[in-house]
Amino acid sequence: MTNCVASIDAGTTSVRCMIFDETAKVLASHQLEFAQYFIHPGWHEQDAHEIVEKCYQCIERAVADLGKLDGGKWNVKVIGITNQRETTVVWDKDTGLALTRAIAWPDTRTAHTVRELAKKSPKGTDAVKAETGLPLSTYFAAVKLRWMLDNLPEVKKAHDEGRLRFGTIDSWLLYNFTGATAGPDGGVHVTDSSNASRTMFMDLRKQTWDQALCDFFGVRIDVLPRIASSSEVYGQMRGGPLDGVAIGGILGDQMAALVGNKCFAAGEAKNTYGTGAFLLYNTGTHVVNSANGLLSTIAYKAGPNAPVHYALEGSIAVAGSAIKWVRDSLGLIKDASEIGPLAAQVEDAGGVYFVTAFSGLFCPYWDDSAAGTVVGLTSYTDRRHFCRATIEATCYQTEAILDAMAKDSGIHLKALQVDGGMTNSDEAMQIQADILGIAIERPEMRESTALGSAIMAGSAIGLFGWNVNEPHTLDKVNRAGKQRFEPRISAQKRRAGKKGWERAVQRSRGWNVNEDEDDGGKENASATGAARVGEKAAM
């Protein structure tokens, strides 16, 4: 039998199981979408139990396909997990059932909660940034949990009685995979340091939960999972065709993509273009505090005794989801793959700028009151210009993040590593190179998120000789077929485009301000509460 490694990649809209060999060749893969619930403006929910069920289904199909390959010689030796970050799950430890739907990371219902928390400190939205590297924002998990406690009585009751368990999607999956089905306390309640760094409960430098932070958010510290490294054996899979296989690596999806792109040295960076877009810049073993609107975060900790590696991050809330919106809501295209060729039919967007602030603006603007805005429309505009403006929206926001990173680090990138769905478009990557004025490097195997967690899992047991703390052991991984896109437009045209984008951003800001704001949606909160438990119990 020949060994291989599996990765469970639980993204924002779908889950998949991918199985890799030692060079990162994909041996088998299966992907399934899961339901998204948008029951009020700005709300984005998911069924945590459905995510687990779809993961098991993907594992079953991928392993079945693997068994048909090369006479069934392949043997899955270890499993990695990577996940959408910040999405918040709460469950009852006595039943193992989620108490409500998960609140997904783009959800903005907590804008009122953010403002109330900011009032508690003279630092405002920077109240906990020194400890966590994060500003108060609708983005992060602690604010979502605070909203649940304020608005969902069953969550508060479980919290006050000591029955509540909190986790991001990695913790929820690990809890279920390692035995929650065998009993309410059967599962392992663990997260890794990369995901913990996105909760706002963890001290970034100590890599431990901080009692003062928990007190600030009014959350019991015992509801939180144990913090482990990103590369160690946490337990064994229970159930399904991988029953008994070790689970040995956990990383938040964007940190996994950094590892999958092998950005192990300080000064290396990648951008992942998925539902949102996330640019991470490796800062080595030291925290770099951003003065320009970026996040300081943990990139990975490759073993219990390994040093922590940090990163600066810039997050774009809406990237690939804008293309989906153009397809599904506007009907300008029938398939996402059409947008690049249409955009390439025109030299520019004809003066149109589309600020895709559907969930406000993240780095480096941090404006949850910003709204989606289109400016520059004329009778000359057609769908090709709008398609190009949609792609450019992500590219210009990437430029704003890179500018901020250069100011914080003093280093200007010469090339950017990229992965994710949007990178399948040559046209989009050429537009990105033109807007940035630097080279874009795209690997042939672009599933860097799944690969990153697979690398961490393999490293945990020394599979293939992989050792993330000695990156040369990964020299053979994902080397084939890298493409490079060089900028083609003049510096003058680049500057003019940037100036137009900045003007458009200013027009989008401060739109969603409600002077008669209610108490953060309490009258609607029951829609996500106890009724969800009843729905699950009836299934």
Side-chain angles (χ1 to χ4, degrees):
M1 298 291 286
T2 303
N3 292 328
C4 55
V5 57
S7 174
I8 310 303
D9 184 353
T12 303
T13 61
S14 66
V15 297
R16 57 186 171 172
C17 175
M18 302 191 75
I19 303 176
F20 298 93
D21 72 5
E22 63 182 312
T23 65
K25 178 183 177 182
V26 179
L27 301 172
S29 177
H30 193 73
Q31 181 170 358
L32 291 171
E33 292 188 353
F34 56 89
Q36 310 292 316
Y37 300 91
F38 305 96
I39 63 174
H40 299 292
W43 292 36
H44 186 174
E45 300 177 349
Q46 299 165 349
D47 184 331
H49 291 282
E50 183 189 4
I51 293 172
V52 175
E53 292 161 5
K54 291 292 176 68
C55 284
Y56 273 115
Q57 291 172 26
C58 287
I59 292 169
E60 186 172 350
R61 291 290 298 275
V63 172
D65 290 344
L66 183 71
K68 301 172 186 175
L69 189 66
D70 299 332
K73 74 172 186 177
W74 297 98
N75 175 48
V76 176
K77 194 72 173 177
V78 67
I79 304 164
I81 296 173
T82 184
N83 57 286
Q84 53 167 318
R85 305 168 305 168
E86 297 93 19
T87 294
T88 300
V89 187
V90 291
W91 65 95
D92 187 326
K93 76 177 182 65
D94 291 342
T95 66
L97 295 176
L99 289 165
T100 182
R101 284 181 184 148
I103 299 181
W105 63 267
D107 186 289
T108 59
R109 77 183 71 181
T110 56
H112 175 80
T113 306
V114 169
R115 288 191 283 274
E116 290 301 305
L117 288 167
K119 292 176 183 177
K120 295 174 63 174
S121 169
K123 296 180 182 178
T125 55
D126 285 342
V128 297
K129 190 173 183 182
E131 297 83 6
T132 68
L134 312 173
L136 291 173
S137 165
T138 60
Y139 189 10
F140 303 110
V143 178
K144 301 179 194 302
L145 179 55
R146 183 64 257 165
W147 185 93
M148 289 179 177
L149 293 170
D150 289 338
N151 292 278
L152 303 177
E154 66 279 12
V155 176
K156 185 178 188 304
K157 188 172 188 292
H159 174 269
D160 293 347
E161 294 176 356
R163 293 183 287 109
L164 187 71
R165 290 295 177 264
F166 155 89
T168 43
I169 293 295
D170 60 305
S171 298
W172 171 246
L173 290 179
L174 188 64
Y175 175 79
N176 282 271
F177 288 163
T178 57
T181 54
D185 294 313
V188 175
H189 192 208
V190 169
T191 189
D192 92 297
S193 54
S194 74
N195 279 290
S197 73
R198 313 297 290 194
T199 63
M200 305 189 89
F201 294 124
M202 190 190 79
D203 185 296
L204 197 61
R205 292 160 182 81
K206 297 177 182 177
Q207 302 102 51
T208 58
W209 301 129
D210 185 275
Q211 185 63 58
L213 291 172
C214 290
D215 292 344
F216 178 82
F217 290 103
V219 171
R220 293 174 54 146
I221 201 167
D222 60 359
V223 310
L224 307 177
R226 178 176 68 86
I227 301 174
S229 76
S230 309
S231 182
E232 61 183 89
V233 175
Y234 315 103
Q236 284 73 42
M237 176 72 78
R238 292 180 68 113
L242 296 182
D243 185 70
V245 176
I247 300 174
I250 297 176
L251 275 174
D253 52 8
Q254 304 313 318
M255 293 79 165
L258 189 77
V259 171
N261 277 294
K262 299 192 292 186
C263 295
F264 297 121
E268 295 180 331
K270 69 87 197 175
N271 200 18
T272 296
Y273 303 77
T275 300
F278 304 88
L279 201 157
L280 264 69
Y281 178 99
N282 190 329
T283 62
T285 56
H286 300 286
V287 178
V288 173
N289 296 314
S290 176
N292 294 283
L294 301 177
L295 308 177
S296 300
T297 192
I298 287 179
Y300 59 87
K301 178 178 169 65
N305 299 314
V308 171
H309 285 253
Y310 295 93
L312 283 171
E313 177 175 335
S315 306
I316 301 169
V318 175
S321 56
I323 296 173
K324 185 176 180 181
W325 181 79
V326 168
R327 181 193 68 190
D328 297 342
S329 297
L330 297 187
L332 295 182
I333 53 176
K334 293 181 179 180
D335 188 88
S337 63
E338 296 176 22
I339 198 166
L342 279 169
Q345 290 177 19
V346 290
E347 291 186 3
D348 53 45
V352 175
Y353 292 90
F354 179 17
V355 183
T356 52
F358 297 162
S359 300
L361 288 169
F362 288 177
C363 303
Y365 311 105
W366 293 113
D367 186 351
D368 60 20
S369 68
T373 305
V374 181
V375 298
L377 294 174
T378 67
S379 57
Y380 171 72
T381 305
D382 62 30
R383 68 173 182 149
R384 298 172 300 170
H385 299 104
F386 198 91
C387 286
R388 190 176 184 100
T390 302
I391 293 172
E392 288 182 352
T394 298
C395 297
Y396 278 120
Q397 288 176 85
T398 298
E399 180 189 42
I401 291 169
L402 276 180
D403 284 348
M405 287 184 173
K407 291 174 183 175
D408 282 334
S409 68
I411 299 173
H412 293 267
L413 288 184
K414 296 181 179 179
L416 179 65
Q417 309 301 312
V418 299
D419 61 84
M422 279 183 67
T423 67
N424 292 326
S425 167
D426 289 356
E427 297 86 359
M429 292 301 95
Q430 185 58 55
I431 291 170
Q432 183 68 91
D434 290 340
I435 286 175
L436 293 181
I438 62 173
I440 300 298
E441 294 185 347
R442 181 182 68 184
E444 183 177 52
M445 204 294 292
R446 297 164 205 161
E447 306 298 346
S448 301
T449 301
L451 176 59
S453 70
I455 287 172
M456 281 295 177
S459 180
I461 64 169
L463 187 66
F464 311 135
W466 289 353
N467 184 342
V468 177
N469 296 302
E470 298 177 7
H472 69 272
T473 63
L474 300 162
D475 284 348
K476 296 179 181 179
V477 174
N478 204 19
R479 292 185 61 184
K482 180 170 283 192
Q483 290 181 269
R484 187 176 172 97
F485 298 84
E486 299 283 355
R488 296 175 180 173
I489 66 172
S490 68
Q492 181 180 4
K493 186 172 183 179
R494 186 176 302 116
R495 286 193 298 269
K498 179 180 179 181
K499 183 177 180 180
W501 169 257
E502 291 171 347
R503 292 173 63 208
V505 167
Q506 288 303 315
R507 284 154 176 79
S508 77
R509 303 187 73 166
W511 184 261
N512 289 321
V513 175
N514 184 359
E515 295 179 358
D516 299 320
E517 141 182 287
D518 59 27
D519 290 331
K522 287 185 179 179
E523 73 282 5
N524 294 321
S526 61
T528 68
R532 298 292 178 244
V533 180
E535 289 174 9
K536 184 61 190 175
M539 292 178 65

